[in-house]
Amino acid sequence: MSVRADTVEPMPSPPAIEAIELVKRYGQETAVDGVSFTVPPGTVLGLLGPNGAGKTTTVRMMTTLTEPTSGTARVAGYDVLTDPDQVRRHMGLTGQVATVDELLTGRENIRMIGGLYGIRRNHLNRIGDQLLQQFSLTDAGDRVVKSYSGGMRRRLDLAVSLLASPPVLFLDEPTTGLDPRSRSELWDVLRGLVAQGTTLLLTTQYLEEADQLADNIVVIDRGRIIAQGSPLELKQQAGRASLVVTVADVADLEPAHALLARTGAEVFTDTAARRLTASADGLDDMISVAGWLRDSGIGVDDIGLSRPSLDDVFLTLTGHRTEDSEEVGA
């Protein structure tokens, strides 16, 4: 019996990154306690947690900088314990602090690091020009890094980590200390890398950053994974969406309240703001309520769905917000 070629499903690609029961102890303290996850190629995993949750320690184990107490990890199919040289050849790493030399120019930093990678000079010059252009640093390429802004230094640090065109990139809190504009610019750069096929593991304590960039999120607290899933899946764990209606006339609050109650949800009224809030199953509820309000002639200034934030998720899972956690491990 023959099988048509177009009916055979393609084999799934192996994970670009795997953490397998990673554990790291420092004396009696356990910084990372049995962390496991996988990252498909060409996607972004956000490793989310407060300071001291174990994010940096996890990254250090996965990038061969720290040996696990037990467990292991694979990067681009290579084991960090049995094949660390291949792991380093197939990954890039940008740490929390920029590692570029402040006394050199941007272009000189690229040449120095490229030389350490063994990249030939003529090829390195071409790559360097491409990276400076990609990261909007061409005009600053011949200036000493000491004169760069924080955002420019982070972009140069990221550019240097891409000199060897690694398929996997680890970013340990890459936007810490950046102003909102610099952070947004760096997000755009990272989206471009993913569009080109790079796999990213991003550690962050910024909930908005994980929401903006990550396809999947692993929430870690006190060295353990407490939840994982897509941003939407995690938000759903924190509760249902809320339907929020602001009526144009305070006199319409009572009839509007009765209409929202038809969804079966409890309705909360803020008279001063002319606002009604009720839990909702999603867009269908909003469309239904909007139709009822229109048919009843009730004027509306605003209507929309409000979903739980990732901060709400973290509060639900741990009992505290990310910024409230005490430091346990790096």
Side-chain angles (χ1 to χ4, degrees), residues 214-279:
D215 298 295
N216 286 288
I217 294 173
V218 169
V219 184
I220 186 170
D221 191 36
R222 296 180 174 88
R224 295 184 178 183
I225 291 177
I226 57 175
Q228 53 186 314
S230 70
L232 179 58
E233 289 170 343
L234 292 181
K235 290 175 187 178
Q236 289 172 340
Q237 293 185 30
R240 299 171 66 192
S242 295
L243 176 60
V244 183
V245 176
T246 303
V247 296
D249 189 334
V250 69
D252 286 328
L253 278 173
E254 187 172 341
H257 185 287
L259 289 176
L260 263 70
R262 287 167 58 179
T263 65
E266 185 175 3
V267 182
F268 300 91
T269 301
D270 182 341
T271 302
R274 294 177 281 108
R275 184 183 302 123
L276 299 139
T277 305
S279 60

Side-chain angles (χ1 to χ4, degrees), residues 94 110 131-132 135 137 154-164:
T94 298
I110 288 175
L131 288 172
L132 288 172
F135 288 87
L137 292 170
R154 292 305 280 167
R155 294 204 304 274
L156 179 61
D157 203 37
L158 186 56
V160 165
S161 71
L162 294 172
L163 273 168

